[in-house]
Amino acid sequence: LDPYNIGLIERPVAEAHTETGMTVGWVTNDIFQARRVASKVAFLLGGRLVELADATRFFSAPTTPQAAAFLRGELVYEDEVSG
C-alpha cells in the first residue's frame, strides 16, 4: 500500500486501541510499520515463534540470530530456524 492508504488503516486501529485499551494483533513483514504500531513483537519464521519481546528491545537488541539477520535485511532461510 501507498503511505496514504497505510495511514487510513493504521489511524483508526491506533485510535481504537488508545480509546478502548483493546489488544490488537497486527501481522506485517514491514519493519517500519511494525516499529510504528507495535508495543510487543512476535517474530515468526517458518511457522515457528523465534522471538517474543517488547518492541523497543526487539528492534534495538534482538536475542536470536534469525531476528537480527531479518532486521539487517539479510535473507533468512527456513532451515536456519532449527540451526
Side-chain angles (χ1 to χ4, degrees):
L1 292 174
D2 62 274
Y4 176 78
N5 284 306
I6 288 171
L8 288 178
I9 295 168
E10 287 180 3
R11 269 191 295 290
V13 173
E15 289 170 4
H17 169 72
T18 301
E19 292 171 7
T20 67
M22 73 176 172
T23 299
V24 177
W26 196 285
V27 179
T28 184
N29 64 345
D30 182 333
I31 295 171
F32 302 106
Q33 184 179 53
R35 284 182 189 261
R36 281 193 308 274
V37 302
S39 58
K40 294 189 186 300
V41 173
F43 178 69
L44 293 102
L45 180 63
R48 292 183 168 160
L49 179 63
V50 176
E51 188 165 344
L52 177 62
D54 172 79
T56 302
R57 205 246 348 113
F58 177 82
F59 289 112
S60 64
T63 60
T64 63
Q66 296 90 348
F70 178 77
L71 292 173
R72 287 191 305 268
E74 297 174 2
L75 184 60
V76 180
Y77 293 99
E78 184 174 331
D79 62 344
E80 290 182 25
V81 173
S82 60

